């Protein structure tokens, strides 16, 4: 974790990362009994903080965890972490665990939540990265669209870890997961968009995808740009008809998807077979970056 | 966690529980990226250690985690924890996390696993507890029988926590989960058995239930006792035809299930409507306890 900055906010105190620790009996460590948010910071401003905190609260309500800090205190804590680490452009990770013990599934109602904020320098990916585009495999991990965990971002994230491991072992960048109906859901840490017959399609929330903050922004951005946008089922068999595709996440923003299971996306292909970022993807990325540049 | 004993084994060292901690960037804390086993100790002997370690290894193989300690070293470490805490009858929790960072799903292949062993005094539940029996609700949490996580015991355990929370909120002891086919799977931390028309039925492994160590022992024990045993689908609608039912886990052993969703189990009912432990449940429990008593 060489890339994480020195100072970490831990339950109200700023401590050095090397000293920052939680009990071995912390429930997020023992049972994945916690929630998290990953946020991008541009010029010391946490992007879409309200949306991230709203999703965090949906999670803590589902889990019946009382954070113990209100939104204003959390916003202040995030700023403290940025200031103490002298970060202007950064990635922030806010983790809320139910706190210490017991080891069985039944929580101790008196447990005090463990709240941690860590940061690292992050100024977005370089333009070459966008031009290169990402290659994806189809994961063997089947997501359960009926699990309440789909709607929140919990630290019980092992299925996503296993999906990413599959991608890495198959020498690609991301793994797309299917749900129990055989529909595409999302990547291991990204939402999925495809352009078919000029329409922008992204799996509906009932597919089991995370209600991504950047996903929601892209839906608005596309509508404002006059693109026809549909939240609908997306089948893996449709890949050959994708004119373009991209992935979104709070850190990546928009990442062109140029190959799925060895099949190049779009009509324009590179010699090695992968596609190139398409015109709608480029236009949306430009508008997305322009919006970022306008952040105070 | 007042009930945990002082000394904890952490990556090869015995440390005081109050000082035992893991990095806030440990992957089991951040992402539920780890495995665990809960074991019962009778007269300093860890019950079914080989079976627990075999399941742990299935988990670490799936997760591509290298524990860094062989079985002999782990067995020795378990004994050290018991000896240092002067425990004869105990519950042990062995947790293996992938180790420190990074925060995204993609693991660092050079990460060193975090291995922790904690113990607490536990001599089994008193006979009154068995006579009382457990009451269960049906959980709204739908288990995904196609997830590879069903076959192992991972620290991404939040669905089980949410199921148990439902049980507690409805003032019962355990929550039975269904799979995507609507079949019964297991409790939040137990396997399920029912007696129907004199046959002992437990959900098949393909239902998505954990391959429980005590579940396997009970299957053998029942067969040896001349009971017809079937691993098959068990529908919630069948509850009214259950002559008996019980739950199993490494710590509980056999726990009679005397009520499901307010419906008493069996023909013999208490005034308040719940059933009483049935004859097959009692016979299996006696044989199970007799086998425990024979442990060196």
């Amino acid at each position: 974790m060489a890339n994480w900055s020195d100072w970490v906010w831990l339950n109200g105190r700023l401590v050095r990362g090397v000293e920052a620790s939680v009990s071995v009996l912390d429930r997020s460590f023992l049972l994945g009994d916690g929630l998290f948010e990953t946020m991008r910071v541009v010029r010391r401003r946490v992007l879409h903080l309200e949306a991230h905190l709203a999703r965090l609260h949906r999670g803590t309500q589902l889990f019946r965890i009382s954070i113990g800090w209100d939104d204003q205190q959390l916003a202040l804590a995030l700023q403290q972490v940025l200031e103490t680490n002298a970060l202007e452009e950064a990635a922030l990770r806010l983790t809320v665990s139910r706190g210490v013990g017991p080891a069985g599934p039944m929580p101790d109602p008196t447990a005090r939540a463990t709240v941690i904020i860590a940061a690292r320098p992050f100024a977005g990916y370089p333009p070459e990265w966008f031009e290169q585009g990402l290659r994806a495999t189809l994961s063997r991990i089947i997501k359960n669209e009926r699990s309440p965990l789909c709607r929140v971002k919990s630290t019980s994230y092992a299925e996503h870890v296993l999906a990413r491991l599959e991608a890495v072992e198959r020498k690609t960048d991301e793994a797309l997961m299917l749900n129990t109906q055989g529909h595409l859901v999302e990547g291991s840490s990204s939402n999925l968009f495809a352009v078919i017959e000029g329409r922008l399609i992204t799996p509906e929330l009932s597919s089991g995808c995370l209600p991504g903050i950047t996903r929601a922004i892209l839906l608005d951005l596309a509508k404002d740009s006059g693109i026809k946008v549909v939240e609908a089922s997306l089948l893996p068999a449709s890949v050959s008809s994708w004119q373009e595709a991209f992935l979104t996440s709070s850190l990546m923003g928009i990442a062109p998807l140029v190959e799925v299971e060895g099949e190049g996306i779009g009509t324009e292909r590179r010699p090695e077979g992968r596609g190139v970022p398409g015109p709608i993807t480029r236009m949306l990325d430009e508008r997305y970056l322009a919006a970022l540049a306008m952040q105070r």
Side-chain angles (χ1 to χ4, degrees), chain A:
Chain A
M1 292 306 289
N3 60 345
W4 285 90
S5 297
D6 276 352
W7 293 92
V8 168
W9 190 94
L10 170 58
N11 292 338
R13 293 181 309 122
L14 284 161
V15 291
R16 288 221 171 243
V18 286
E19 292 157 16
S21 57
V22 295
S23 165
V24 297
L25 303 170
D26 185 279
R27 300 262 303 186
S28 191
F29 178 79
L30 294 174
L31 300 165
D33 192 8
L35 289 311
F36 73 101
E37 290 292 329
T38 303
M39 291 164 276
R40 183 164 171 198
V41 176
V42 174
R43 281 185 289 291
R44 274 211 194 164
R45 187 183 162 91
V46 182
L47 299 183
H48 314 296
L49 176 59
E50 301 72 18
H52 283 286
L53 290 178
R55 186 169 63 189
L56 178 67
H57 291 313
R58 286 202 301 277
T60 53
Q61 275 164 28
L62 175 68
F63 279 51
R64 312 274 194 268
I65 291 175
S66 171
I67 301 180
W69 306 88
D70 65 27
D71 284 0
Q72 213 176 338
Q73 290 171 315
L74 291 176
L76 197 65
L78 293 167
Q79 285 303 323
Q80 280 184 320
V81 172
L82 295 174
E83 280 166 34
T84 311
N85 289 302
L87 291 171
E88 297 272 329
E89 314 286 310
L92 282 168
R93 157 112 184 190
L94 168 60
T95 311
V96 175
S97 156
R98 193 183 300 278
V100 172
M106 182 148 66
D108 174 359
T110 69
R112 181 169 160 260
T114 305
V115 183
I116 289 172
I117 301 164
R120 62 182 172 89
F122 180 75
Y125 294 104
E128 312 86 80
W129 177 88
F130 183 93
E131 288 305 322
Q132 178 78 355
L134 299 185
R135 298 163 64 222
T137 46
L138 294 180
S139 172
R140 280 162 303 193
I141 303 287
I142 304 298
K143 278 213 80 168
N144 178 9
E145 68 273 20
R146 293 163 73 188
S147 170
L149 293 188
C150 292
R151 327 279 175 245
V152 303
K153 217 165 155 96
S154 90
T155 57
S156 279
Y157 214 61
E159 285 186 345
H160 295 249
V161 173
L162 294 182
R164 182 63 71 92
L165 274 172
E166 285 184 87
V168 171
E169 287 176 358
R170 297 180 62 194
K171 303 196 192 314
T172 58
D173 307 296
E174 181 56 297
L176 303 180
M177 291 184 277
L178 307 177
N179 65 18
T180 67
Q181 307 293 312
H183 301 164
L184 285 161
V185 179
E186 63 190 354
S188 72
S189 59
S190 57
N191 285 108
L192 170 67
F193 289 80
V195 177
I196 303 179
E197 295 177 3
R199 298 187 315 167
L200 185 63
I201 302 177
T202 195
E204 66 274 53
L205 291 180
S206 60
S207 71
C209 71
L210 180 79
I213 310 294
T214 310
R215 174 185 180 277
I217 292 164
L218 256 287
L219 286 174
D220 285 344
L221 205 58
K223 281 173 201 156
D224 290 350
S225 308
I227 297 168
K228 188 155 168 57
V229 184
V230 191
E231 294 180 71
S233 296
L234 208 48
L235 287 165
S238 72
V239 168
S240 57
S241 67
W242 292 2
Q243 297 162 301
E244 306 182 29
F246 59 86
L247 302 170
T248 61
S249 79
S250 292
L251 291 190
M252 291 195 302
I254 298 176
L257 182 61
V258 295
E259 188 182 299
V260 176
E261 282 288 317
E263 179 156 12
I265 304 291
T267 47
E268 200 184 340
R269 304 283 171 84
R270 278 177 266 219
E272 71 272 23
R274 65 167 73 181
V276 298
I280 291 176
T281 305
R282 283 184 194 283
M283 186 267 281
L284 289 172
D285 185 58
E286 273 161 31
R287 295 193 67 152
Y288 180 77
L289 293 179
L292 283 199
M294 282 172 63
Q295 297 288 334
R296 285 182 278 111

